[in-house]
Amino acid sequence: MFAAFDAGLDEQREMKKAFDQLLSRLTGEHCYDGQAGEASAFVELGHRKLKPGGMLGLITPLSLMSGEAWHASRRRIARWYDDVILLSIAGKAKKELSFSADTGMGEAMTVGQKRRSARSGGDARATFVVLDDRPVMPLDGYAVADAIRQSIDEHGLRQIEEAPHGGTPIRIGGDTVGHAIGAPLPENRTWDICRIADLALAQSAWRLLERHELWLPGMPTPLPEALPLARIADMVAYIGPYHADINWNGSGGKLRGPFKLKPTDTPATATYPILWAHDAERERTICFEGDNEGVVRPGKGAEEIARIQEKVNAIQASASHLHFNNNFRFNSQSTAMQFTERRTIGGQAWISLRFAEASLEAAVALWANTSLGLFVHWWQANKQQSGRGRIGKEALANFVCLEPTSLSEDQRTRSEHLLAELGSTPLRPCNEIADDEDRAHLDRAFLGGILGLPQTLFGADGPLALLRRKLAAEPSIHGGKKGARA
């Protein structure tokens, strides 16, 4: 953090010491969060130094908009600032996703005018801007800023609640350099309109998650019946443990995780099977088994042995057939959720989600790997890294997906049969979704055959085919990887 301008190690230590002392003097409500990192401290320090009516300008990690540790910073901005503009970079032609030099990760720019008092009641609104690429020179940046201000002042911006026709173009002369859209600025949820090149997708995703209405680009009107969607926390019996609670031990012998990991090729005979790591080729199919066995650590004395067994029992209670890809590499991996034949403990790459019945887990596994399931996964993920979407354990509680208990007994039974039929069918990586005939078949079989969505959605040039093409063209999905559709 303090390594700029060739500062020596001693100087860096002194600066860190001074910074820590400054943070320790923060009193009352503040938005600094150690998990978010030092950048969240600068949000708070900037806010405290600014007079009412003053303008705040910040460049932070993109996680400010969609990271689970940044809730307090988002709340600070939503409550205390008017005329908020939030900018991110899609990275269409280049891989630079940051406004700063040499950060190597996605960044957000936030501009807003400080209020005299905190807003009470109702969501604020903001202008979300997604630039195609980072301006190259300062003069380019000035021209982009002027074009954004002109679009806000002189033209009515399109809104997230409108039909999926996309955002308002940001133009410099005859060139379009990005798009803008108006949307709510919720205090207690993520701000997901970031790094999305085609804002028609944002309008469809917002409507699907907020109103449970399906209105994709190319559809004249939304479907009349709402889709059965809900938050994970409102549905599951268990969300699996954080990976460190499975196998991590601290310094000095401090015990946190009760297991040691032992790789296995025979998970069927493991007492405690664990699905731990990613293997992209293994993960082409929806169904595959665990890759490790949990070996219970020996305890020192009766008290520690009892504590270890208590931890083992708690973790085993979360074992499930269904597992969530919490660090989805869109341009190499194929599955957003997966299904193990045995109830298995989720690990570092896969968090287990346990429902009351296996048939419910089968239905969610199928939904998650349809085009709509991948769409809402991508929308809700933190897209700070190119070609990757992360959703941590805390954010997973608020993740919205299919509510399987709303399905009839017949639909659940048919879901189990469909999973048995298609669970071993290889699917292409997410960035190749436009050319994935097996994914299209899954869409027809589950979304049409089981959920009953109209057949007009499934044609070769229908709305779902268009959705797949649009997703494949998103820079945050293909990450510049060759072979993706432009």
Side-chain angles (χ1 to χ4, degrees):
M1 178 181 174
F2 299 105
F5 308 112
D6 297 321
L9 288 177
D10 289 341
E11 190 175 4
Q12 291 181 48
R13 291 190 188 100
E14 288 300 313
M15 286 191 285
K16 183 181 185 307
K17 181 179 177 181
F19 186 71
D20 290 343
Q21 291 173 347
L22 179 62
L23 291 182
S24 70
R25 294 199 295 269
L26 291 179
T27 57
E29 181 188 7
H30 61 79
C31 66
Y32 172 66
D33 188 305
Q35 294 297 319
E38 292 88 350
S40 63
F42 284 100
V43 176
E44 181 63 28
L45 294 173
H47 171 74
R48 293 195 178 205
K49 288 178 176 292
L50 195 62
K51 294 179 180 179
M55 296 299 295
L56 180 72
L58 290 167
I59 293 176
T60 65
L62 191 69
S63 298
L64 168 71
M65 298 177 71
S66 55
E68 57 196 275
W70 286 83
H71 288 305
S73 292
R74 288 191 290 269
R75 187 165 56 246
R76 173 70 82 216
I77 292 167
R79 286 184 180 180
W80 279 94
Y81 290 87
D82 291 325
D83 301 323
V84 174
I85 305 175
L86 293 148
L87 298 94
S88 60
I89 299 171
K92 270 191 173 181
K94 305 171 185 177
K95 290 188 177 180
E96 291 93 341
L97 308 176
S98 59
F99 295 96
S100 311
D102 303 323
T103 63
M105 64 179 184
E107 290 184 331
M109 182 184 293
T110 304
V111 179
Q113 186 172 34
K114 189 175 183 180
R115 297 165 53 90
R116 290 197 172 275
S117 60
R119 180 179 284 102
S120 60
D123 284 342
R125 294 189 72 86
T127 298
F128 291 81
V129 178
V130 182
L131 301 179
D132 290 348
D133 291 289
R134 182 175 73 187
V136 178
M137 302 290 289
L139 186 60
D140 299 324
Y142 178 86
V144 170
D146 189 55
I148 292 171
R149 179 53 62 189
Q150 250 187 335
S151 295
I152 295 171
D153 292 345
E154 299 178 9
H155 310 289
L157 287 183
R158 285 180 172 168
Q159 304 297 308
I160 196 73
E161 299 91 344
E162 295 177 6
H165 297 155
T168 299
I170 304 297
R171 293 192 175 99
I172 300 177
D175 297 328
T176 298
V177 298
H179 292 80
I181 198 165
L185 204 60
E187 291 185 13
N188 299 314
R189 284 177 293 158
T190 53
W191 302 339
D192 296 314
I193 312 172
C194 55
R195 292 211 61 214
I196 296 176
D198 188 340
L199 291 179
L201 293 176
Q203 289 164 319
S204 290
W206 183 91
R207 182 174 290 268
L208 189 56
L209 267 65
E210 294 294 325
R211 300 179 181 174
H212 301 175
E213 294 177 351
L214 184 64
W215 194 358
L216 298 177
M219 293 173 60
T221 57
L223 293 185
E225 293 185 2
L227 268 66
L229 304 176
R231 295 166 62 248
I232 289 287
D234 297 330
M235 298 186 290
V236 301
Y238 291 95
I239 297 177
Y242 183 64
H243 64 87
D245 292 321
I246 297 173
N247 80 325
W248 186 84
N249 273 2
S251 58
K254 183 179 180 181
L255 188 145
R256 177 170 175 178
F259 293 112
K260 293 180 181 179
L261 296 182
K262 178 184 176 182
T264 181
D265 294 325
T266 57
T269 62
T271 304
Y272 300 106
I274 298 176
L275 180 60
W276 186 259
H278 277 309
D279 181 336
E281 292 308 313
R282 177 190 62 179
E283 297 164 10
R284 295 285 174 243
T285 60
I286 301 175
C287 294
F288 53 89
E289 299 305 307
D291 54 2
N292 275 266
E293 178 176 2
V295 179
V296 179
R297 295 181 184 275
K300 299 175 182 178
E303 184 178 339
E304 187 173 73
I305 291 172
R307 192 165 73 252
I308 290 172
Q309 188 60 48
E310 184 180 349
K311 288 175 177 285
V312 168
N313 294 345
I315 291 172
Q316 181 63 9
S318 72
S320 173
H321 301 288
L322 180 67
H323 306 90
F324 182 89
N325 187 346
N326 70 319
N327 197 12
F328 197 164
R329 189 67 185 258
F330 298 127
N331 57 12
S332 67
Q333 295 166 7
S334 303
T335 47
M337 295 193 202
Q338 71 87 231
F339 191 92
T340 54
E341 183 178 353
R342 286 191 68 190
R343 288 201 183 274
T344 299
I345 297 167
Q348 187 171 34
W350 298 91
I351 300 178
S352 53
L353 297 174
R354 183 163 182 170
F355 286 76
E357 299 175 18
S359 64
L360 303 178
E361 295 166 357
V364 174
L366 289 167
W367 156 266
N369 291 293
T370 64
S371 299
L372 289 182
L374 293 181
F375 177 38
V376 298
H377 188 120
W378 166 75
W379 167 256
Q380 295 175 85
N382 181 348
K383 295 178 275 291
Q384 182 165 312
Q385 293 180 292
S386 183
R388 189 190 298 270
R390 179 164 180 79
I391 299 173
K393 178 177 167 63
E394 291 184 25
L396 183 54
N398 291 315
F399 184 85
V400 176
C401 73
L402 178 73
E403 164 53 290
T405 60
S406 65
L407 304 182
S408 68
E409 191 66 35
D410 177 63
Q411 287 174 309
R412 296 184 204 177
T413 300
R414 286 191 289 136
S415 294
E416 289 184 295
H417 293 163
L418 182 61
L419 185 63
E421 177 188 342
L422 300 182
S424 299
T425 301
L427 301 169
R428 291 196 183 194
C430 187
N431 65 304
E432 299 177 16
I433 188 174
D435 302 310
D436 194 342
E437 290 300 324
D438 292 309
R439 187 91 61 181
H441 175 60
L442 173 61
D443 286 350
R444 291 190 294 271
F446 184 74
L447 299 177
I450 293 178
L451 293 191
L453 299 189
Q455 290 303 306
T456 53
L457 296 177
F458 301 99
D461 198 29
L464 278 169
L466 177 59
L467 174 67
R468 290 191 288 269
R469 293 196 297 271
K470 284 179 176 290
L471 289 174
E474 280 293 319
S476 62
I477 288 180
H478 63 69
K481 190 173 183 179
K482 292 181 180 179
R485 288 197 182 195

